[in-house]
Amino acid sequence: MTSRAELLDTLHRYAARAASERLTLGEVADGLGGSSFSLLCIILSLPFLTPVSLGPLATVGGLTLAAIAWQMLRGDRAPSLPPRVRAIEMSPKVWQPLLASCAKIVSFCGRFSRPRYKRWVEGVQGARLRGFLIIAAGLLMAVPLFGLPFNNALPALAIIVVCLAELEDDGLMLWAGVAVTAASAVYILGVLVAVTFFGTEAIKRFFPSGLG
């Protein structure tokens, strides 16, 4: 696994490049090194850390994250993106804050996270467990409950915590990711069941703004 210093150096280097040129998603993914799965998932999850539902964009983003995690689950060494996704080009105004935020998150977590209970994050078992959790969170994010507060943010947070656990070799943080994923499932599936059986009127009592 890539060390924290190497991760931060890579992120700062790409953030500097993004300030002066347009980068494709494929270029960034190829340069993320040994932790490319986790870093790519963090970068793709950051835009969804908002209390406001992002609608169809969240559905596409969640399914994309689930597809990347499936590759992790089956043991691929690096994420393989479809040509159209690899060719997505974003402006410096988009890339710079994403990469800078990712670097800040990795740096911040280094203050309290440390290698512990590493059997939960290392090897094939660790990759499969992380892949399963990210697939679950990605599918939860993709549930089309447009307008529901935090329906994107909770799964995105779960994915980020799970990925940070891999970057820090921190099994305890992985279990925090399990807890956030479970909370996301209870919240989103609970609302889905309520809508299915009681209609949107039941939800409006708790969320006056409605489901969009």
Side-chain angles (χ1 to χ4, degrees):
M1 187 184 68
T2 309
S3 70
R4 186 187 299 122
E6 291 173 320
L7 289 176
L8 291 173
D9 180 67
T10 299
L11 290 169
H12 288 312
R13 187 171 68 252
Y14 273 99
R17 279 187 60 187
S20 58
E21 61 181 289
R22 298 177 69 90
L23 298 175
T24 66
L25 189 57
E27 285 179 285
V28 174
D30 291 343
L32 293 179
S35 298
S36 53
F37 271 116
S38 291
L39 283 172
L40 183 59
C41 285
I42 290 175
I43 290 170
L44 293 177
S45 298
L46 284 173
F48 300 102
L49 282 180
T50 170
V52 180
S53 175
L54 296 182
L57 182 60
T59 299
V60 174
L63 293 176
T64 300
L65 284 159
I68 292 172
W70 170 250
Q71 297 174 29
M72 184 190 301
L73 186 66
R74 70 186 185 188
D76 291 5
R77 297 178 64 86
S80 176
L81 301 174
R84 288 186 180 181
V85 176
R86 285 183 58 84
I88 292 175
E89 189 178 73
M90 290 186 278
S91 69
K93 290 182 179 180
V94 176
W95 270 126
Q96 246 197 324
L98 279 178
L99 293 168
S101 296
C102 191
K104 287 178 182 179
I105 289 172
V106 172
S107 181
F108 174 75
C109 286
R111 298 179 185 178
F112 57 85
S113 181
R114 64 182 186 275
R116 52 191 167 182
Y117 305 109
K118 296 199 291 185
R119 68 181 182 277
W120 293 107
V121 291
E122 291 183 334
V124 175
Q125 174 183 291
R128 287 176 176 171
L129 181 54
R130 292 193 307 276
F132 172 78
L133 290 170
I134 296 172
I135 287 173
L139 293 178
L140 287 169
M141 185 189 294
V143 174
L145 289 173
F146 307 146
L148 178 68
F150 297 103
N151 71 316
N152 303 154
L154 283 173
L157 179 61
I159 291 170
I160 290 172
V161 173
V162 169
C163 292
L164 287 171
E166 190 263 339
L167 296 178
E168 299 292 337
D169 262 347
D170 191 342
L172 187 59
M173 183 174 280
L174 181 70
W175 283 103
V178 172
V180 180
T181 304
S184 303
V186 170
Y187 176 58
I188 293 172
L189 297 181
V191 170
L192 191 61
V193 169
V195 171
T196 301
F197 288 96
F198 303 108
T200 56
E201 289 300 320
I203 305 304
K204 288 179 181 178
R205 294 185 180 182
F206 298 96
F207 302 107
S209 60
L211 294 177

